[in-house]
Amino acid sequence: MADLCGMRAKIGTDVHEAAVLLRAGEVVAIPTETVYGLAANAFDEAAVLKVFAAKRRPSFDPLIVHIGERARVNDVVSELPPGAKELMDAFWPGPLTLVLPKRPEVPDLVTSGLDTVGVRMPAHPMALELLRIIGFPLAAPSANPFGYVSPTTAQHVADLLGDRIPYILDGGACNVGVESTIIGWEADRWVLFRPGGVAVEEIERVVGGVGAALKKILPAAPGMLESHYAPRKPLHVGDIEPLMLRFPDQRIGVISFTSRFLAHRCEVLSPQGDFGEAARHLFAALRSLDTSDCEVILAEPFPEEGLGRAINDRLRRASAR
Ligand code: TXA
Ligand code: MG
């Protein structure tokens, strides 16, 4: 990455400036409703390579391809399994990624050599406008260094990757706050690869039961790596009060759903108990405690339903060492 030395990303709201850079094979951070993405032309292997380099991401972890219109799905996908159309009707644009058989034109680098591609249409007006202007799909992982907490504001991206990319398109704070739900078609049924912004219960209302993924995407089930989304400070998940007793001499930062705890710092994700609001605030809270003077972070698990599942998934991975 020697050629990037001294680069400092510009933060701006100019969709056309972002389009010029993307057409030239550059990498641009873009807002989506879930988290910020680090985007490149999905059909340009050299550009996609820059995404992996900027993130320091291992190439066995495939990228999600973002499209600006429903019809564009046929540019990257070779066939639609039963229920795919209904799922797109119900949830696109929105935080649902479908893993579907890929067209040969999609570079192996994007899919890590898999014969499937993850595709979604994001529900963010700026991202959609950008995609329509450029006319090609964008391969984009979350815009964080591999394994670290995902960014939900342009400033987070600047803090994390500002010295490695030319432009950050600022679309405000992400209003979902956790990544998309990922499902795929395997052995004649839909299976869950990653819980996320669309609750599994909602998906099941459209296509019936969603199973657990059979295939392990090797060498590591992608986005499913045990340690991921991890802050630099130690994070423990469990009942807060007993956990607090384990760290009597340390400055404790707590992440809770609704209740305030008497700790050095306490981030209450949703005083009213709203899962959507909690998801929206999760990564910002983790980052805020991670960059504070707290020495240890404690988080309470959520009810295992709706978006609570996605939140628990992120907390569990973030606490894995
Ligand atoms: O909300 C999101 O999904 C965000 C925004 C930017 O769209 N993107 C995101 O990308 O979370 P990333 O790279 O952090 O996670 C992508 C994950 C991979 O780690 C993998 O789990 C899954 O998507 N994935 C992509 N292609 C796949 C495929 N062909 N088969 C199975 N899983 C796939
Ligand atoms: Mg990610």
Side-chain angles (χ1 to χ4, degrees), residues 64 73 77 80 83-85 87-88 92 96-101 117-120 180-185 190 193 203:
I64 292 172
V73 76
V77 164
L80 296 180
K85 283 205 173 71
L87 287 165
M88 293 178 207
W92 283 6
L96 178 68
T97 295
L98 300 176
V99 171
L100 301 170
V117 59
V119 57
R120 83 178 189 99
S180 59
T181 302
I182 305 179
I183 60 171
W185 179 258
W190 290 98
F193 287 114
I203 296 171

Side-chain angles (χ1 to χ4, degrees), residues 50-318:
K50 292 183 187 171
V51 171
F52 282 93
K55 267 195 75 122
R56 311 224 155 92
R57 177 175 174 118
S59 61
F60 60 74
D61 196 2
L63 307 184
I64 292 172
V65 172
H66 298 70
I67 56 173
E69 294 163 81
R70 256 287 289 277
R72 295 261 81 91
V73 76
N74 301 311
D75 298 351
V76 292
V77 164
S78 61
E79 59 178 276
L80 296 180
K85 283 205 173 71
E86 289 78 4
L87 287 165
M88 293 178 207
D89 284 343
F91 301 112
W92 283 6
L96 178 68
T97 295
L98 300 176
V99 171
L100 301 170
K102 86 173 188 81
R103 288 181 66 97
E105 292 83 354
V106 180
D108 281 337
L109 184 60
V110 171
T111 61
S112 304
L114 298 170
D115 53 9
T116 53
V117 59
V119 57
R120 83 178 189 99
M121 181 175 168
H124 192 291
M126 235 180 206
L128 290 174
E129 191 191 347
L130 176 65
L131 284 161
R132 284 178 195 132
I133 291 173
I134 56 182
F136 51 77
L138 290 173
S142 49
N144 50 287
F146 185 70
Y148 190 62
V149 182
S150 302
T152 51
T153 67
Q155 190 58 51
H156 293 170
V157 182
D159 295 345
L160 297 169
L161 297 173
D163 58 345
R164 298 185 217 164
I165 59 175
Y167 197 74
I168 300 167
L169 190 60
D170 187 354
C174 302
N175 61 19
V176 174
V178 291
E179 294 84 348
S180 59
T181 302
I182 305 179
I183 60 171
W185 179 258
E186 258 183 14
D188 287 330
R189 58 178 195 153
W190 290 98
V191 298
L192 180 69
F193 287 114
R194 177 178 76 184
V198 175
V200 175
E201 294 90 331
E202 285 183 61
I203 296 171
E204 291 186 326
R205 275 199 280 277
V206 177
V207 290
V210 171
L214 301 174
K215 267 188 237 158
K216 278 271 174 207
I217 315 271
L218 294 172
M224 310 260 105
L225 293 170
E226 266 317 306
S227 172
H228 216 73
Y229 314 104
R232 298 188 175 93
K233 308 252 166 82
L235 167 69
H236 302 270
V237 181
D239 289 337
I240 299 297
E241 269 157 358
L243 272 178
M244 283 178 77
L245 297 175
R246 277 176 47 194
F247 303 95
D249 304 322
Q250 296 197 35
R251 285 188 297 276
I252 296 174
V254 170
I255 295 181
S256 75
F257 186 8
T258 58
S259 347
R260 185 154 291 284
F261 291 88
L262 275 180
H264 182 66
R265 291 266 316 260
C266 183
E267 298 275 345
V268 182
L269 296 182
S270 173
Q272 314 304 329
D274 179 78
F275 283 116
E277 183 181 33
R280 195 150 60 236
H281 294 155
L282 174 68
F283 286 138
L286 268 173
R287 279 180 53 85
S288 161
L289 294 181
D290 202 26
T291 52
S292 74
D293 63 348
C294 291
E295 294 157 291
V296 59
I297 305 172
L298 310 179
E300 65 178 359
F302 276 60
E304 194 55 29
E305 62 185 64
L307 290 192
R309 288 208 224 187
I311 295 172
N312 286 340
D313 172 79
R314 303 307 185 270
L315 286 175
R316 191 171 53 71
R317 284 181 219 289

Side-chain angles (χ1 to χ4, degrees), residues 1-8 25-26 46 50 53-54 163-166:
M1 297 303 293
D3 58 324
L4 290 183
C5 273
M7 186 183 293
R8 197 66 227 171
E26 287 303 329
K50 292 183 187 171
D163 58 345
R164 298 185 217 164
I165 59 175

